[in-house]
Amino acid sequence: MEASIVQLKKILDPRGNLSIIEGEMDIPFTIQRAYWIYDVPGGETRGGHAYKTLHEFIVALSGSFDVVLNNGEQETRYHLNRSYYGLYVPQMYWRHMENFSTNSVALILANQEYDEGDYIRDFDKFKEVVNG
Ligand code: TYD
């Protein structure tokens, strides 16, 4: 599968809106882990790495930031700034996140538990693996 923006359900309500993510329904995997990134100082970059097998889904729950994906051939920048859509990132995309706005919160849902062995943290190694 390709990386893609996924629109989430939005239940509009004068008391406040509500959005939903159900594993296998709204995103193409069962949710095994959730983590979030917050209190990012201005100008910082997070997440320069790829995963060998892990899939994830990234939502800007608050504020905005950019997710930059590289599949070994081309780089695509996604600006996330609403809590009712997110970015599905399959395995083997190099990705980093930058341009975090003040008080932004990035929610990341993953299909696997944390496993350092699944990370590729060296971009040259990533290119070698992708290009066979
Ligand atoms: P890392 O995935 O490198 O963060 P980012 O991609 O945002 O730059 O993780 C940073 C540190 O947090 C690293 O030491 C591993 C630890 N960590 C866990 O222990 N469990 C987790 O689920 C995650 C995502 C990270």
Side-chain angles (χ1 to χ4, degrees):
M1 275 183 86
E2 304 262 303
S4 55
I5 293 285
V6 177
Q7 297 288 331
L8 300 169
K9 284 184 283 252
K10 195 157 82 168
I11 310 224
L12 299 177
D13 191 312
R15 298 172 302 159
N17 300 334
L18 183 152
S19 285
I20 306 148
I21 303 170
E22 287 186 80
E24 305 284 357
M25 306 261 289
D26 304 299
I27 55 175
F29 58 83
T30 302
I31 299 162
Q32 185 69 31
R33 177 166 54 108
Y35 64 96
W36 47 99
I37 295 170
Y38 54 97
D39 289 350
V40 178
E44 277 297 343
T45 295
R46 298 277 330 203
H49 52 66
Y51 302 109
K52 295 175 196 162
T53 63
L54 179 139
H55 305 208
E56 64 186 8
F57 187 71
I58 305 174
V59 185
L61 277 191
S62 178
S64 66
F65 50 84
D66 293 345
V67 183
V68 183
L69 298 184
N70 187 317
N71 63 2
E73 284 181 357
Q74 62 180 39
E75 190 173 275
T76 311
R77 177 178 297 267
Y78 298 87
H79 183 63
L80 301 185
N81 64 353
R82 292 284 183 269
S83 58
Y84 51 80
Y85 68 83
L87 178 64
Y88 170 62
V89 185
Q91 74 275 22
M92 288 306 288
Y93 276 81
W94 186 269
R95 63 111 166 126
H96 73 268
M97 300 160 72
E98 62 185 18
N99 294 332
F100 287 89
S101 68
T102 304
N103 291 331
S104 56
V105 180
L107 172 70
I108 297 139
L109 304 175
N111 75 326
Q112 291 172 30
E113 290 171 5
Y114 174 72
D115 173 13
E116 184 59 37
D118 196 57
Y119 282 70
I120 302 176
R121 292 190 181 273
D122 181 274
F123 188 67
D124 289 335
K125 187 180 168 213
F126 167 72
K127 297 237 339 181
E128 258 176 50
V129 176
V130 179
N131 297 322

